[in-house]
Amino acid sequence: MSLDTALQPTADRPATDLAQLRSQLTLEEKVRLLVGAGLWSTTAVERIGLRAMHLSDGPAGVRGVSEDGAETSASFPAPSALAATWDVDLADEVGAAFASEARRHGVDVVLAPQVNLQRTPVGGRHFECYSEDPLLTGDIAVHVVRAAQERGVGMCVKHFVANDSETQRTSYLSRVDERTLREVYLAPFERLVAEARAWSLMGAYSGIDTGTTAAPALEHRELLHDVLKAEWGFDGVVVSDWVATKSVAAAAHGGLDLQMPGPDGVWGDGLLAAVLAGEVDEATIDEKVDRLLLLAQRVGALEGCEPSGALRDHVHDVDVPDVLRTLVARSMVVLRDEGGVLPLGVDDVATVALVGPNGAAPFVQGGGSAYVRPDRSSTLQDAIGAALGADVDVHAGAVSRFLPPTLDLATRCTAPDGSVGALVEVLDADGTVIDSAVRTEWGGWLREPAEHAASVRIRTTVALREPGTHEVGVGTVGRHRIVIGGRELSTSEQVVGAEVILDSSVNAPAPVVLRIEVDEPTTVELDATVQAVHPVGYASFARAELVHRVPVKSADELLVEAVAAAEQADVAIVVVGTNEEIESEGYDRTSLALPGNQDQLVKAVHAANPRTVVVVNAGAPVVLPWLDEVPCVLWAWLGGQEWPEALGDVLAGRTEPAGRLPWTLPASEADVPVPDAVPVDGVIDYTDGVHVGYRSWLRLGRTPAAPFGHGLGWSTWEHDAAVAGVLEDGSVVVDVTVTNTGRRAAREVVQVYVEPPVGSPSGDRPVRWLGGFAVVHAEPGESTTARVRVDASAFRTWDEERHGWVTPAGTYQLRAGRSSGDLRHTVDVSHPGSRATNPDG
Ligand code: BGC
């Protein structure tokens, strides 16, 4: 296929001839280009003016590529929060913020957005995804990607495809029928190619069984080559997920273009060898090289080329913290507000009891590769105090974290030479020290350049100051010896392989812990030697999670203190939620309950103070058994670095919490249509078919705690009328007139759902599905019209026999309303029907 280079930037060096550039490369050079040069960079060929391109995570900010770990970034709210605004203009601003952050960090391609779907609420990376609905996901993602790329920064959409859970994540196979793939899981990717012209795409760790081909995602020629590249015309680069490439020829033929990271890995030496052996022909390599060069041209990595995109010079015209603060405040979803508790009157609130484990220690980012080291952090106590002009008293009130926290090297530890921190020595196989440093920070993993590192030894003295029971421990995998306080706690000669780095089910065992009773301040020696692991493509790693728990109050004691504080305060704000033990890449959740005794805390605080606002600080759904009992419940997401101030804005009435759920909130775990994500014999069967998310709830006739699309905002609305007009291309425009009947200027998200013709032979179509939406703003008493476009493609279905799209004839009902469960008007639209259009022509 030929690559369209029409987007070539013109700047200093017009019309770079990519084919001519490629012709200057030797075979060895071309092959090297298809393998990363390092963890986050591609290979440079200075001779042809090609510099290395830098790639960096991810969906909640741009982490940056520096080695020292001190680089900070603007921490964005978890992506579901953006989807909860249903606001494509805000998505444009987020795309611009990605571009701005990327440029600040010297990053050419951001490894985002993630457009996998929230098929099950237990999915570990749920918070990284936008929605359980393909249309909402696609709309938001198209705007984010377009806005970033218009500023000359590439986005790498991930993870292609049907990679919707984490258990056994490097090996499972998603079994998805062709129609479900087309209508649901491929749909956002297809739009990103067609409407945003995404410059790159990441192939998943997992595999796909379409019924005709079962293969790892990176080897899936039917999907990568036939559908993505040939049918849709994707002209970007297919990047492997990190260390996901398992084969040389199969992946090369499958459609993978760039193995990341490098320079090792199976393509490291293997790809050249495969070409020389005739297993992969040079034309296949050339086609991939052309894609790489086009990407380089687009991001400005070729000498003489400026980054491509109409707005490339406007990349810094973004006040990123301001965008993030508005975004996360607006994204908050009012689940319930009996009697208009929100906003809190600034004049009548002098004292606040801020209660809850997440009130004391907010959880603003999910775990895993999405994590960035934030530019700034603030406390809820300060932010809410400032917003309300009130005294804020903080009480954890409950225990919700169960693993001992990380040992603080900077405040508790002394290295053998007397300096603050821990001595970290890297040893070779003979036990000779080849590197040594005193560290005051330790993230649990050590990344060392030394290729011949065999083990890492950590020594420090830990100060135990508080009376009571301390716990000091180390978690690790593989060969190790752990001695604390002179006692050998654990030893193993078992050697582990590189795969442990990606598989949390094996790389995060509970730490071995020594409990120490302390009367007077004392110290304890910690001495741990752990195996260095050498993942192909990464530098060596050693995992040694150093933990320390100070004596803590019991959950009951905490509860009593919090309730007493709530009784005394003008208002109680209870912040409950999940934490890094629950929501992360690398594992799925095992329960939808709030961890610990948080449910009990909510009920007790509400009994003590009827003026209680509950704030849920979580990304993915949790069951809220008290939802109908407390007056006011706000879903506030994992809000990133601006979260405390944004919550202050909402509570004080500066910004409307205008969010609408981008997923379904279950009332009980037993109701959830897809309750787990555990492969059976390595396979996850997508038996729910096209009935993803709310569609299954509707089909099964189950009532959730809050339906997809629900959110009350801070006003009330009447939906006066809906009229529809059909456009020439079969799209329908629905004009919905709404009136703000409340007392505050507010935003309304008008949603239009499509229902299939009654009795039509259209097969197993959902009860209803989202067809379009629009956000409007109105002053109190004002009426306005929301124009919702339902694209012609909303009516079509995939015909498996003809392998093409078809629109069954009949009268479709377009149902307009406030959520999938609150529909106010219906308009009928008759469609003459269309025969299958085979994408192959
Ligand atoms: C994740 C990707 C991420 C990559 C690089 C992988 O483990 O699945 O989403 O972009 O690491 O950090």
Side-chain angles (χ1 to χ4, degrees):
M1 111 185 222
S2 73
L3 291 171
D4 178 357
T5 50
L7 282 187
Q8 283 178 30
T10 46
D12 303 337
R13 178 177 170 173
T16 302
D17 183 343
L18 300 180
Q20 201 270 332
L21 271 188
R22 192 232 302 148
S23 71
Q24 296 174 33
L25 296 170
T26 64
L27 174 64
E28 286 74 10
E29 283 172 327
K30 287 191 287 191
V31 167
R32 271 333 305 176
L33 269 187
L34 307 181
V35 182
L39 196 46
W40 307 114
S41 57
T42 62
T43 303
V45 186
E46 280 163 23
R47 199 164 59 70
I48 63 159
L50 172 65
R51 65 163 171 81
M53 291 181 273
H54 298 292
L55 296 77
S56 177
D57 288 302
V62 181
R63 195 168 55 235
V65 295
S66 76
E67 296 290 328
D68 64 5
E71 189 170 359
T72 67
S73 309
S75 142
F76 294 19
S80 315
L82 173 57
T85 67
W86 297 58
D87 185 338
V88 293
D89 295 335
L90 211 41
D92 285 336
E93 291 188 44
V94 170
F98 269 119
S100 169
E101 278 292 284
R103 209 57 74 68
R104 168 161 86 105
H105 291 275
V107 165
D108 299 292
V109 178
V110 183
L111 305 174
Q114 178 160 346
V115 296
N116 297 119
L117 297 185
Q118 294 158 338
R119 175 173 175 260
T120 163
V122 302
R125 302 184 82 167
H126 193 285
F127 68 93
E128 282 188 58
C129 306
Y130 288 129
S131 169
E132 65 187 25
D133 181 80
L135 181 93
L136 180 57
T137 299
D139 275 356
I140 296 287
V142 161
H143 281 263
V144 168
V145 170
R146 210 153 50 191
Q149 294 188 169
E150 276 172 358
R151 288 164 177 81
V153 169
M155 300 297 282
C156 183
V157 298
K158 61 190 190 183
H159 309 85
F160 193 83
V161 58
N163 180 199
D164 307 299
S165 54
E166 290 294 280
T167 308
Q168 298 170 21
R169 70 171 180 154
T170 57
S171 59
Y172 73 77
L173 209 57
S174 296
R175 185 173 293 146
V176 200
D177 63 78
E178 183 183 332
R179 177 180 161 217
T180 301
L181 264 178
R182 290 286 188 160
E183 289 185 25
V184 179
Y185 297 96
L186 284 171
F189 290 100
E190 181 174 10
R191 292 192 46 204
L192 281 159
V193 174
E195 296 171 39
R197 219 157 159 210
W199 294 349
S200 66
L201 171 147
M202 186 187 291
Y205 289 123
S206 49
I208 307 118
D209 178 356
T210 56
T212 43
T213 311
L218 298 177
E219 298 172 14
H220 214 291
R221 189 172 167 87
E222 181 187 323
L223 291 174
L224 281 181
H225 178 273
D226 301 352
V227 175
L228 173 75
K229 292 182 176 177
E231 182 189 319
W232 297 349
F234 174 70
D235 63 5
V237 174
V238 174
V239 181
S240 71
D241 201 340
W242 264 232
V243 206
T245 314
K246 295 176 184 145
S247 65
V248 180
H253 290 138
L256 175 65
D257 300 314
L258 172 65
Q259 178 209 274
M260 286 301 292
D264 308 317
V266 284
W267 277 22
D269 297 325
L271 191 53
L272 180 62
V275 179
L276 296 176
E279 291 160 22
V280 175
D281 58 31
E282 198 166 339
T284 303
I285 299 294
D286 286 350
E287 196 255 3
K288 298 179 194 302
V289 168
D290 287 350
R291 289 171 181 273
L292 247 293
L293 292 175
L294 177 59
L295 178 66
Q297 184 175 20
R298 286 170 162 174
V299 301
L302 281 175
E303 210 172 280
C305 285
E306 291 293 324
S308 175
L311 301 175
R312 69 172 190 232
D313 299 330
H314 296 267
V315 75
H316 297 304
D317 294 356
V318 195
D319 182 343
V320 175
D322 189 58
V323 169
L324 301 180
R325 182 165 168 171
T326 306
L327 156 63
V328 66
R330 270 200 208 153
S331 73
M332 295 184 194
V333 180
V334 180
L335 294 176
R336 180 176 164 86
D337 191 11
E338 285 299 298
V341 178
L342 284 179
L344 297 170
V346 174
D347 298 336
D348 67 336
V349 177
T351 55
V352 173
L354 174 61
V355 168
N358 293 44
F363 177 41
V364 297
Q365 309 188 51
S369 56
Y371 184 85
V372 303
R373 194 181 170 100
D375 280 338
R376 62 181 286 267
S377 69
S378 56
T379 66
L380 280 182
Q381 183 177 29
D382 290 347
I384 293 175
L388 298 176
D391 282 338
V392 180
D393 193 14
V394 188
H395 295 273
V399 174
S400 66
R401 288 175 170 82
F402 297 98
L403 301 174
T406 301
L407 172 61
D408 187 346
L409 301 185
T411 62
R412 277 203 188 259
C413 294
T414 311
D417 69 356
S419 56
V420 172
L423 175 66
V424 178
E425 294 170 306
V426 180
L427 314 172
D428 67 13
D430 301 330
T432 307
V433 176
I434 52 177
D435 195 6
S436 137
V438 172
R439 293 179 161 246
T440 53
E441 267 197 63
W442 182 260
W445 290 93
L446 176 69
R447 197 155 75 76
E448 280 299 323
E451 269 172 34
H452 42 294
S455 60
V456 174
R457 182 174 185 193
I458 302 168
R459 276 187 293 161
T460 190
T461 304
V462 187
L464 310 178
R465 305 186 190 103
E466 306 81 351
T469 310
H470 287 251
E471 292 173 30
V472 180
V474 179
T476 191
V477 277
R479 180 190 296 169
H480 66 262
R481 180 162 184 265
I482 297 167
V483 180
I484 300 175
R487 274 175 59 188
E488 184 174 271
L489 290 193
S490 171
T491 178
S492 167
E493 282 308 312
Q494 192 200 352
V495 176
V496 293
E499 63 287 348
V500 294
I501 187 176
L502 293 171
D503 190 345
S504 306
S505 59
V506 293
N507 77 20
V512 291
V513 165
L514 181 66
R515 285 175 200 285
I516 308 156
E517 293 301 328
V518 171
D519 299 324
E520 296 291 321
T522 183
T523 59
V524 63
E525 308 281 326
L526 181 154
D527 187 333
T529 305
V530 303
Q531 182 198 335
V533 183
H534 297 270
V536 174
Y538 282 96
S540 53
F541 276 85
R543 177 179 170 80
E545 198 196 354
L546 311 179
V547 297
H548 171 227
R549 189 173 358 227
V550 294
V552 284
K553 290 183 181 158
S554 72
D556 288 345
E557 287 169 311
L558 294 172
L559 185 80
V560 168
E561 279 179 12
V563 169
E567 259 168 5
Q568 304 298 318
D570 293 333
V571 62
I573 300 172
V574 191
V575 187
V576 292
T578 56
N579 53 55
E580 39 289 285
E581 293 174 17
I582 312 281
E583 292 195 63
S584 175
E585 175 180 341
Y587 43 86
D588 296 306
R589 290 192 295 164
T590 51
S591 161
L592 298 188
L594 281 170
N597 59 328
Q598 298 188 83
D599 290 331
Q600 192 192 358
L601 174 69
V602 172
K603 289 185 183 181
V605 168
H606 176 235
N609 188 337
R611 197 173 177 197
T612 289
V613 177
V614 183
V615 176
V616 186
N617 174 204
V622 284
V623 171
L624 309 174
W626 32 261
L627 180 60
D628 296 337
E629 293 162 29
V630 295
C632 180
V633 182
L634 186 65
W635 191 282
W637 307 108
L638 310 180
Q641 68 180 36
E642 303 299 324
W643 192 66
E645 285 74 18
L647 187 56
D649 291 343
V650 164
L651 295 172
R654 289 196 204 114
T655 310
E656 184 191 14
R660 306 291 191 261
L661 291 177
W663 39 251
T664 307
L665 181 68
S668 101
E669 301 209 22
D671 294 339
V672 174
V674 181
D676 69 47
V678 181
V680 176
D681 296 330
V683 174
I684 298 186
D685 228 325
Y686 281 44
T687 48
D688 46 325
V690 294
H691 305 279
V692 63
Y694 62 93
R695 302 177 184 184
S696 272
W697 285 84
L698 289 166
R699 185 167 70 139
L700 299 168
R702 295 181 188 162
T703 308
F708 173 81
H710 173 76
L712 299 172
W714 67 16
S715 194
T716 48
W717 293 87
E718 263 167 29
H719 284 214
D720 307 318
V723 287
V726 181
L727 305 179
E728 221 165 80
D729 72 349
S731 301
V732 179
V733 169
V734 187
D735 284 332
V736 184
T737 309
V738 296
T739 304
N740 179 353
T741 54
R743 279 172 300 153
R744 310 182 68 87
R747 296 160 71 84
E748 172 69 321
V749 180
V750 176
Q751 302 162 37
V752 174
Y753 293 84
V754 183
E755 293 189 3
V758 178
S760 79
S762 47
D764 179 31
R765 297 202 84 176
V767 175
R768 77 180 65 104
W769 61 95
L770 184 67
F773 57 90
V775 180
V776 288
H777 177 273
E779 298 296 321
E782 191 190 350
S783 296
T784 186
T785 298
R787 171 155 285 200
V788 180
R789 183 190 165 102
V790 179
D791 198 80
S793 61
F795 299 92
R796 68 189 190 175
T797 182
W798 185 260
D799 183 326
E800 290 209 332
E801 271 169 31
R802 298 195 181 93
H803 304 292
W805 293 106
V806 60
T807 300
T811 301
Y812 291 79
Q813 293 202 312
L814 299 189
R815 308 200 59 190
R818 305 203 66 201
S819 78
S820 61
D822 182 359
L823 302 164
R824 304 287 178 90
H825 294 282
T826 302
V827 283
D828 288 348
V829 170
S830 69
H831 201 291
S834 75
R835 289 179 52 76
T837 35
N838 189 320
D840 303 328

